Amino acid sequence: MPRELALLDAPLGQLPRQDMFDGTWRIEGLAVLGWYLGLAPLPAHDAQADPADLWSACDFLQALPPRLAETARPRSDAERERMSSQLLGLHWRLRDFGLNPVAMD
């Protein structure tokens, strides 16, 4: 936890470059968690998650997040399977385009 506190205490614009990259991935992870718990929609597949929206939706950094315990409802198996299939299809298309960069319908 000392490392996380140091990140939160860093002056604006003074985060080490790697910590900035790592933080971006953590925000994306929070977006998935927020979606799973039914607290926030996933951003479009070609957009980054908005930290302010996620922090508000997930009561991030609140001492006692009462709303989280009251409103979080894990997605159903069917919803998770549907999202898994959608993301696998997206991943496959991006990977295929990386190997064979031609237009596809």
Side-chain angles (χ1 to χ4, degrees):
M1 187 139 102
R3 179 164 164 71
E4 287 80 7
L5 289 174
L7 292 174
L8 292 173
D9 288 338
L12 187 61
Q14 299 298 310
L15 277 180
R17 191 169 177 83
Q18 188 61 53
D19 289 338
M20 185 177 60
F21 292 140
D22 293 346
T24 300
W25 283 111
R26 287 185 177 113
I27 292 297
E28 298 300 322
L30 182 60
V32 174
L33 179 61
W35 174 83
Y36 171 74
L37 293 175
L39 300 172
L42 276 179
H45 67 272
D46 59 347
Q48 286 186 323
D50 184 304
D53 290 347
L54 285 169
W55 293 341
S56 176
C58 298
D59 287 336
F60 185 66
L61 297 180
Q62 299 300 315
L64 295 171
R67 193 172 65 87
L68 183 62
E70 295 167 4
T71 60
R73 298 290 178 262
R75 300 281 179 162
S76 69
D77 290 345
E79 287 176 293
R80 291 193 314 267
E81 283 295 321
R82 198 169 30 256
M83 182 59 71
S84 178
S85 294
Q86 180 180 347
L87 293 175
L88 178 61
L90 177 62
H91 171 77
W92 178 86
R93 291 189 78 158
L94 290 171
R95 182 72 176 125
D96 186 56
F97 185 79
L99 296 171
N100 185 22
V102 295
M104 66 175 81
D105 184 5

